[in-house]
Amino acid sequence: MKSQFRRLNAGALLLALAVSTAGCAQDDAPQAGGATAITVMGMPAATNAKALKLFKDQVAAFEKANPDIKITGSDLPWDVKTFAPMLAAGSAPTVLRVPLTEPAGLIERRQVADITKEATALAEFGALNPDIMSYLTRDGVTYGLPEKAYALGLAYNRSLFTKAGLDPDKPPATWDEVRAYAKQISQKTGAVGFGEITTNNSGGWHLTAYTYSEGGSMIKEAQPGKWAASFNDTAARQVLDRWRAMRWEDDSMGGNVLGKQEDLIAQFSAGKVGMWVTSPSDIYPTYVTNGGRPEDFGGGPMPQGAGSATLVGGTIHLVNAKATPEQRAAAVKWIRFRYLRPNFDTEAAVTNAKAAAADGTPVGVPVLPIFDQATADKVREAITPHANVPAENFAGYVKSLSAFTFTPEPQVASQEIYAALDPVAQAVLTRQDADPAKLLADAEARVNAILQKQQ
């Protein structure tokens, strides 16, 4: 696999602002007034009124500062199946907002543009996190710029911990502790002790992350460009055995195990779930929007078994390969203005923080920085006076990151692999007689077939 992210110490975490219809950008000819038109993904949905207002305000400010550029927002989420034909037909947006797993394939298929000239001209380009940028460059060519990065950890309900007789300031650090805590929460409060997600590729995603925490891997590169499944071993089997024990012996996972992340966020926000694995920084704003009590939210370390790793990912912006030179330049200006600037420019960061705090939007959620530590520290110090998040509730999560190796998602066909692994998670959690060994063997064959198509 590609080299793992190096460890970052807890001081490298940035207390950042957590703020949270597509057209054919390439067919949008420069407008009559000479403006370059681009369509950009990343516009919040209409249901998220505060974030949408912020987006529109920023578009207006950007266009005022750049009257030669016209921005059209798209709230379409990234989906490989949806965007593959759009990219082929030339109808995809100019700026693509994708998970960190996607750049490798898009670059290989030549579906994204070389933005080296535009990106390296940015004064702050050299301060970007090199670990993240390693996924956006190939042979010295830059293809994208980051929006945010995340590391998985444990989200937990501090109130349920207290009701169950557990210390909310001491979240579990190992899977054995998670199992014991989950059983105690279920027995003493009636809530789901440990929630799980298994649909929309989330089962495969979590199986991957948990396997990393057991010292395992998902795919291996036997020789350059030749990949094979590597999860049919003790590490993944340990994950499945634990799932089965918690579901069928402890009865600590509840009966609703065929959901996606949005479903579990809703249950967690309602105080019905004690613990689950996610990115605490990413889901916290939605938790609050859904009515979750800030004082009840806790962020703990990614539980560990035989390993010492947590899965990392992120959100990236790339430019459609069919973009004109003018559109490429406009796209990089927009990405810098909307996503990079609040992470290096203290004035922009404070402006956003003040506006977000006034709207009741979370400010001060601990996240992994997309810039170097010096830059992150500078911005963190600037926005701290406006923070409205109980950062101490994330202490366990923040502290744990200095001890972990940051392991990326599979760099080849990650979403297809996750889809192939969803049935494994679903079977173990819905059928008491499921055979983990057979499930892994069958999944191995499916994943190897997927990988064969990629090489």
Side-chain angles (χ1 to χ4, degrees):
M1 292 181 67
K2 206 166 184 177
S3 62
Q4 296 178 330
F5 278 32
R6 62 175 177 240
R7 294 178 180 177
L8 297 180
N9 62 42
L13 289 171
L14 168 62
L15 288 175
L17 170 63
V19 178
S20 315
T21 312
C24 174
Q26 288 64 55
D27 292 338
D28 288 334
Q31 300 187 351
T36 297
I38 62 172
T39 303
V40 303
M41 294 176 66
M43 182 175 74
T47 52
N48 193 345
K50 291 179 180 178
L52 180 59
K53 180 182 182 300
L54 176 61
F55 177 88
K56 290 181 176 180
D57 288 347
Q58 290 182 330
V59 168
F62 177 82
E63 290 181 341
K64 182 177 180 180
N66 299 274
D68 58 336
I69 300 174
K70 175 64 177 177
I71 300 289
T72 299
S74 167
D75 64 359
L76 284 177
W78 173 260
D79 181 277
V80 175
K81 294 179 181 178
T82 301
F83 276 85
M86 291 176 65
L87 286 165
S91 59
T94 319
V95 177
L96 306 172
R97 182 177 187 259
V98 307
L100 189 59
T101 55
E102 300 305 303
L106 291 168
I107 293 169
E108 184 68 28
R109 295 188 294 272
R110 300 182 180 180
Q111 293 174 315
V112 291
D114 173 353
I115 59 169
T116 307
K117 177 182 177 182
E118 297 82 2
T120 57
L122 301 177
E124 59 279 356
F125 180 81
L128 285 165
N129 186 327
D131 292 319
I132 299 173
M133 291 305 298
S134 69
Y135 292 90
L136 307 179
T137 59
R138 180 174 296 183
D139 300 325
V141 176
T142 298
Y143 291 94
L145 292 166
E147 173 185 335
K148 61 182 178 180
Y150 73 82
L152 290 185
L154 191 74
Y156 66 97
N157 185 299
R158 294 173 58 88
S159 179
L160 286 177
F161 266 46
T162 299
K163 290 178 181 177
L166 300 167
D167 187 344
D169 292 326
K170 294 182 179 179
T174 69
W175 284 114
D176 287 343
E177 290 176 345
V178 166
R179 182 180 177 186
Y181 280 38
K183 187 175 181 179
Q184 190 165 327
I185 290 170
S186 292
Q187 290 178 344
K188 295 196 174 184
T189 72
V192 172
F194 183 80
E196 195 51 88
I197 49 179
T198 62
T199 63
N200 288 27
N201 299 1
S202 63
W205 180 45
H206 271 196
L207 178 56
T208 296
Y210 299 1
T211 298
Y212 290 166
S213 74
E214 291 288 353
S217 63
M218 301 310 288
I219 61 175
K220 61 182 178 182
E221 193 173 20
Q223 52 183 301
K226 299 296 182 181
W227 298 85
S230 60
F231 58 79
N232 189 6
D233 61 9
T234 303
R237 176 62 183 271
Q238 182 65 37
V239 175
L240 299 187
D241 286 344
R242 185 184 305 108
W243 264 339
R244 184 171 61 177
M246 293 177 69
R247 173 71 173 91
W248 302 108
E249 296 175 21
D250 301 347
D251 192 25
S252 62
M253 299 182 70
N256 185 14
V257 293
L258 295 179
K260 55 186 182 296
Q261 177 154 279
E262 292 79 4
D263 300 324
L264 195 45
I265 290 177
Q267 295 172 41
F268 183 65
S269 300
K272 298 178 180 179
V273 175
M275 301 176 290
W276 65 296
V277 167
T278 183
S279 169
S281 57
D282 273 6
I283 65 104
Y284 182 81
T286 305
Y287 167 86
V288 173
T289 300
N290 284 357
R293 288 159 36 100
E295 60 269 29
D296 285 348
F297 189 96
M302 177 67 189
Q304 299 297 310
S308 181
T310 186
L311 181 147
V312 294
T315 302
I316 305 302
H317 294 264
L318 306 121
V319 179
N320 195 316
K322 297 183 183 298
T324 66
E326 294 78 13
Q327 287 176 325
R328 291 200 303 269
V332 170
K333 281 187 177 182
W334 167 252
I335 296 167
R336 179 185 184 273
F337 179 88
R338 164 75 171 164
Y339 300 106
L340 298 185
R341 195 168 59 108
N343 289 285
F344 71 80
D345 184 330
T346 56
E347 183 178 349
V350 169
T351 297
N352 282 3
K354 286 181 177 178
D359 285 341
T361 301
V363 178
V365 180
V367 298
L368 291 178
I370 60 173
F371 282 93
D372 59 27
Q373 183 173 342
T375 304
D377 288 345
K378 179 179 66 174
V379 174
R380 179 189 64 219
E381 182 178 353
I383 70 170
T384 294
H386 312 287
N388 56 12
V389 170
E392 64 275 11
N393 288 359
F394 291 82
Y397 173 68
V398 173
K399 183 179 180 180
S400 73
L401 296 178
S402 63
F404 292 153
T405 296
F406 293 163
T407 308
E409 299 178 76
Q411 292 301 293
V412 179
S414 59
Q415 296 303 320
E416 293 92 335
I417 291 172
Y418 293 163
L421 292 172
D422 268 4
V424 177
Q426 293 166 7
V428 170
L429 295 174
T430 60
R431 296 193 346 247
Q432 193 166 359
D433 62 349
D435 181 353
K438 185 177 188 306
L439 290 169
L440 287 175
D442 290 346
E444 180 181 43
R446 291 195 298 272
V447 169
N448 278 332
I450 291 169
L451 294 172
Q452 283 294 326
K453 293 180 181 179
Q454 300 285 325
Q455 39 199 11

